[in-house]
Amino acid sequence: MMSSALRQAQIQAEWATEHGRVLAHGGDGEIRKLTLFAPEIARQATAGQFVQIHPRPLSQTATEAPSAQAAPLAQVAPLAQAALAGAPAFDPLLRRPISLCEIRPEAGEISLIYRVVGRGTRALSAVPPGAVVDLLGPLGRSFPDPRAGQGRLVLIGGGLGIPPMAAAARWAMQSGRDAVAILGARTARYLAGAREVAETGIPVITVTDDGSAGEQGLVTDALDRLLIERVGEVWACGPEPMLVAVKERCAAAGIPCFVSVERHMACGFGACLGCTVPRAGGGYLKTCQDGPVFPAEEVILGGC
Ligand code: FES
């Protein structure tokens, strides 16, 4: 089956705002994991979609959240606000887009893994358990339903492209699809999300640039070996050069390939045109609305 047919099997849910309660928030250095009680988003979301999250915790709505004990705002707000010391109340103005790592509709929970890269994510990193945060989601188009494809599904995650593959792996495993994950990073330290992928039960091939975890090499080295076997479909998320390399290999082998594209986003729902990606054949697509998951041949990445 070609990617264009599988495109029909991508899911785009109705998105809405939701107040999510922080259940757990921790991490190692700049890599953080945030687990939220957000039952509506958890019920609607599918692997490959994302949420927009505001870095400032909500204050007066803390006691309105649908479950668990709300921590008094007096306890939860100062930590996050300290990270924004001196900033006006509307700063940061925008929510931050983060891919869904784990989706547990039965528990009403979602988890996100993100990297602290600026003021917004630094402020977010200080939001403690018990706080209530403003969410928008689930946004964007998912990977295609694994039941729509044929043959072995290969999930490829590079760096911060690994966390979304946990939700993808869970979906594939629950669908009974034969699947394997290839996860790669510069070093073992940057394999955030690999544990969550492995916990789904999917076979995992780990590669690192320096050999500090798994095999030394690139994800495409592992993919090259798998392509000689019977690969039915590839889903990839990670740095753009990695996506380009995966796209080229799949095109050469005639394998349907879906890539999750990262772009700066403001609104997250198609209004600002800040997230465009060139469309093969001309024009542009909105990463937030037409993607972030695209059939690889539909978009121009890295000039090809
Ligand atoms: Fe605004 Fe995509 S983020 S249109």
Side-chain angles (χ1 to χ4, degrees):
M1 184 178 290
M2 296 307 294
S3 299
S4 54
L6 289 171
R7 184 95 159 100
Q8 307 301 317
Q10 290 184 267
I11 295 167
Q12 189 165 36
E14 288 290 319
W15 54 266
T17 57
E18 184 168 20
H19 294 170
R21 181 179 314 288
V22 177
L23 299 174
H25 198 181
D28 176 20
E30 76 269 34
I31 305 294
R32 310 282 292 174
K33 181 175 182 181
L34 174 61
T35 304
L36 295 155
F37 181 73
E40 275 309 301
I41 291 176
R43 187 173 64 81
Q44 298 268 3
T46 311
Q49 293 182 303
F50 65 99
V51 296
Q52 289 266 53
I53 181 168
H54 202 285
R56 279 188 189 268
L58 292 165
S59 51
Q60 58 276 45
T61 54
T63 57
E64 296 172 4
S67 87
Q69 291 292 312
L73 179 69
Q75 294 175 21
V76 302
L79 287 171
Q81 289 177 351
L84 294 167
F90 56 79
D91 181 28
L93 179 64
L94 300 173
R95 300 177 180 94
R96 295 321 195 246
I98 304 178
S99 294
L100 289 154
C101 172
E102 294 166 302
I103 306 164
R104 291 186 284 271
E106 65 282 359
E109 296 175 10
I110 58 173
S111 75
L112 317 171
I113 290 179
Y114 65 96
R115 186 166 160 222
V116 178
V117 292
R119 293 179 65 252
T121 45
R122 195 174 316 122
L124 179 62
S125 71
V127 175
V132 174
V133 293
D134 174 77
L135 298 166
L136 206 64
L139 294 158
R141 287 179 197 267
S142 72
F143 288 105
D145 189 328
R147 292 166 296 190
Q150 296 170 344
R152 191 175 213 197
L153 173 62
V154 179
L155 310 181
I156 302 178
L160 278 179
I162 294 173
M165 289 307 164
R170 185 179 197 235
W171 197 16
M173 298 302 282
Q174 288 180 335
S175 301
R177 183 87 181 264
D178 176 27
V180 60
I182 303 172
L183 309 179
R186 278 181 287 158
T187 70
R189 177 175 165 72
Y190 293 98
L191 284 167
R195 179 175 57 82
E196 285 78 2
V197 175
E199 283 175 354
T200 68
I202 194 172
V204 173
I205 299 168
T206 303
V207 296
T208 49
D209 292 358
D210 65 353
S212 54
E215 306 167 20
Q216 184 170 11
L218 304 173
V219 293
T220 42
D221 297 332
L223 179 62
D224 285 341
R225 288 198 297 276
L226 287 178
L227 283 174
I228 60 172
E229 299 175 13
R230 193 178 165 85
V231 173
E233 188 181 340
V234 172
W235 300 354
C237 183
E240 198 140 316
M242 184 200 92
L243 296 183
V244 170
V246 170
K247 174 182 175 177
E248 288 174 348
R249 280 165 171 78
C250 290
I255 295 170
C257 175
F258 284 77
V259 290
S260 180
V261 173
E262 184 175 335
R263 287 289 182 277
H264 288 295
M265 293 185 190
C267 70
F269 49 80
C272 72
L273 302 181
C275 65
T276 56
V277 59
R279 177 184 209 151
Y284 291 88
L285 294 163
K286 297 174 194 170
T287 302
C288 67
Q289 199 171 46
D290 302 311
V293 179
F294 297 95
E297 71 273 15
E298 195 172 293
V299 289
I300 297 175
L301 300 173
C304 59

